[in-house]
Amino acid sequence: MTTYLEAIREAIREEMEADPDVFIMGEDIGAYGGAFRITQGLLAEFGPHRVIDTPISEAAIVGAAIGAAHMGLKPVCEMQFIDFIAPAFNVIVNFAAKVRYRTGAGAGLVIRGPCGAGVRAGPFHSQNVESYFANVPGLKMVAPATVRDAKGLLKAAIRDPDPVLFFEHKYLYRRLKDELPAGEEILTPLGKARTHREGADLTIVTYGAMVHAAHEAAERVAHEDGAQVEIIDLRSLQPLDAAAVLDSVRKTGRLLIVHEAPGFGGFGGELAAVACEGAFEWLDAPIRRVTARDTPVPYAAPLEDAHLPQVADIVSMAREQLHY
């Protein structure tokens, strides 16, 4: 069985083996093997010219990666925690995202790192930053929920000619396991959602770790209420598979949006707008959201649990939708 973490390592290794232009860079990714040991063993396999330990400067990491991409290389940058992407914000949104528009030459790089909470890591190591970048044309963003997609989406991201932000949820690293057949080429196209669970009574749209919380909630609703909930796993946030969302909402007539980031200004607002613009006539209940509270992520376990959306919260809101 392959873990979510190992699937990411496999994707990096396979792309480095297949293409000598692919290299990785980040803080402590070489001899130490990365904070979560994702890059463990790659230094010995590929050497220090392709597994580059960097100074503690996220802006320098991304800036150097953009230059390397313009020289024809394919850099994969690791943010030790995705929270630390903040110092590189300017170079990402004002250079990497806009360089194809300005020059006609894109910056084909991947910026990947552990996102999300639930591991008692506090406010600076637990964030979900997708909404920070969703308003920036020129960036692609993915958030895999499964072992297979962790591998397939990362391979697709590395091959993409434009900058891709890859949000991997740390809670899934060693908890999620699946059988990946040896020798099979796993490549998941960017911009294509996945129907995680079929249903006819309510649509839940989500991504990342919340796919699994939504699945547990849907099973409870099916068992206790006899209703069938359809779950759409977006996989890609940009480009967004709006057609998959609208097709499901038109089928069920109800939409519940679930994400781990706080609600105000979150990605769920854009999903609600997409549904209102494209499926308003099919809605039989108001669109609802289940999100984290609008606070920093607390350290204390009871407070973090209260902050984060829980299965019980999804079940409660699903029932409200179904009984509207």
Side-chain angles (χ1 to χ4, degrees):
M1 298 291 281
T2 302
T3 65
Y4 185 97
L5 182 151
E6 290 165 343
I8 294 168
R9 184 190 297 134
E10 282 186 13
I12 295 170
R13 176 182 283 113
E14 288 178 12
E15 291 304 298
M16 292 181 75
E17 287 175 343
D19 187 344
D21 289 334
V22 177
F23 71 98
I24 59 176
M25 59 192 302
E27 298 158 11
D28 298 322
I29 68 163
Y32 190 63
F36 293 91
R37 301 298 191 268
I38 286 180
T39 55
Q40 193 168 38
L42 297 182
L43 177 62
E45 191 169 349
F46 296 102
H49 297 295
R50 297 183 68 193
V51 180
I52 302 173
D53 275 319
T54 69
I56 302 174
S57 175
E58 287 75 19
I61 293 169
V62 177
I66 293 170
H70 283 166
M71 296 302 294
L73 301 176
K74 297 180 179 179
V76 180
C77 307
E78 177 178 300
M79 301 289 107
Q80 199 167 77
F81 289 82
I82 207 65
D83 315 59
F84 304 163
I85 202 170
F89 187 82
N90 180 60
V91 74
I92 294 170
V93 304
N94 284 323
F95 199 112
K98 296 177 174 63
V99 70
R100 180 175 293 282
Y101 173 80
R102 293 180 67 193
T103 70
L109 69 147
V110 176
I111 304 171
R112 49 156 293 269
C115 68
V119 296
R120 317 314 187 198
F124 305 109
H125 300 78
S126 305
Q127 296 177 79
N128 292 275
V129 301
E130 58 270 15
S131 63
Y132 302 0
F133 298 98
N135 194 233
V136 182
L139 297 177
K140 298 176 182 178
M141 301 193 299
V142 295
T146 68
V147 172
R148 187 178 184 87
D149 283 342
K151 183 174 183 177
L153 285 169
L154 184 52
K155 288 171 70 73
I158 293 170
R159 299 182 191 186
D160 199 89
D162 290 299
V164 182
L165 305 180
F166 191 87
F167 304 129
E168 52 203 51
H169 202 293
K170 67 177 75 70
Y171 187 83
L172 304 179
Y173 273 160
R174 293 177 174 86
R175 290 176 173 86
L176 210 59
K177 299 179 181 180
D178 196 9
E179 196 75 50
L180 298 183
E184 179 187 355
E185 170 78 319
I186 298 175
L187 195 65
T188 306
L190 304 185
K192 186 67 176 176
R194 175 182 70 93
T195 301
H196 176 79
R197 188 181 191 278
E198 296 277 356
D201 302 311
L202 167 68
T203 295
I204 293 180
V205 175
T206 187
Y207 51 91
M210 285 293 106
V211 169
H212 304 283
H215 180 86
E216 186 177 341
E219 292 295 306
R220 281 180 54 181
V221 168
H223 178 70
E224 297 171 11
D225 301 83
Q228 292 302 317
V229 176
E230 182 152 291
I231 299 173
I232 302 298
D233 171 13
L234 290 178
R235 302 199 288 196
S236 289
L237 309 183
Q238 278 283 27
L240 176 67
D241 190 354
V245 174
L246 294 175
D247 287 346
S248 181
V249 173
R250 289 167 183 157
K251 179 173 71 172
T252 68
R254 294 173 173 83
L255 173 59
L256 176 56
I257 299 162
V258 179
H259 61 66
E260 189 180 304
F264 190 89
F267 197 73
E270 182 62 28
L271 295 171
V274 166
C276 282
E277 291 169 359
F280 181 79
E281 294 88 350
W282 285 266
L283 289 172
D284 296 320
I287 298 169
R288 298 295 191 197
R289 289 178 291 173
V290 174
T291 70
R293 295 176 185 268
D294 293 321
T295 70
V297 181
Y299 275 110
L303 294 179
E304 186 180 36
D305 289 343
H307 167 84
L308 293 173
Q310 302 294 332
V311 171
D313 301 322
I314 302 171
V315 170
S316 176
M317 192 61 75
R319 286 173 175 157
E320 181 179 316
Q321 291 281 87
L322 292 164
H323 299 149
Y324 181 81

